[in-house]
Amino acid sequence: MGIEREKEKKIGIVIEALPNTLFRVELKDSKKVILGYLSGKMRLHRIRVLIGDTVEMEIDPYNEDKAKISKRM
């Protein structure tokens, strides 16, 4: 087992819905646009994410352009 890095949590707004549960999300603090994908629990419970929703994401420490959407606010 390797060392697990701490995932950074950010808040953003969904600006575009893409196929296969991918979304373009604009971060609230930096206005940077990144690619977000739904977490397994959100897929399992069929939680809908629409354009304009505020979401909480866990940014991947290895690739700053991708994030897992973990919560819809």
Side-chain angles (χ1 to χ4, degrees), residues 22-59:
L22 293 174
F23 301 92
R24 289 209 197 284
V25 181
E26 182 179 350
L27 298 177
K28 276 194 171 184
D29 56 354
S30 64
K31 303 294 184 196
K32 183 179 175 185
V33 176
I34 61 174
L35 186 66
Y37 58 94
L38 285 184
S39 68
K41 287 285 186 180
M42 290 186 73
R43 285 183 189 207
L44 180 70
H45 296 293
R46 296 189 179 127
I47 296 173
R48 304 268 185 210
V49 176
L50 303 172
I51 296 171
D53 284 347
T54 303
V55 293
E56 182 180 283
M57 303 178 300
E58 297 174 2
I59 296 183

Side-chain angles (χ1 to χ4, degrees), residues 4-12 25 27 34-42 55-72:
E4 185 154 340
R5 292 190 175 190
E6 184 75 23
K7 291 189 178 179
E8 188 177 357
K9 293 195 177 198
K10 296 276 185 166
I11 304 230
V25 181
L27 298 177
I34 61 174
L35 186 66
Y37 58 94
L38 285 184
S39 68
K41 287 285 186 180
M42 290 186 73
V55 293
E56 182 180 283
M57 303 178 300
E58 297 174 2
I59 296 183
D60 184 17
Y62 297 106
N63 184 3
E64 304 268 326
D65 296 331
K66 285 180 83 177
K68 178 169 57 171
I69 298 173
S70 59
K71 186 184 217 181
R72 180 178 161 225

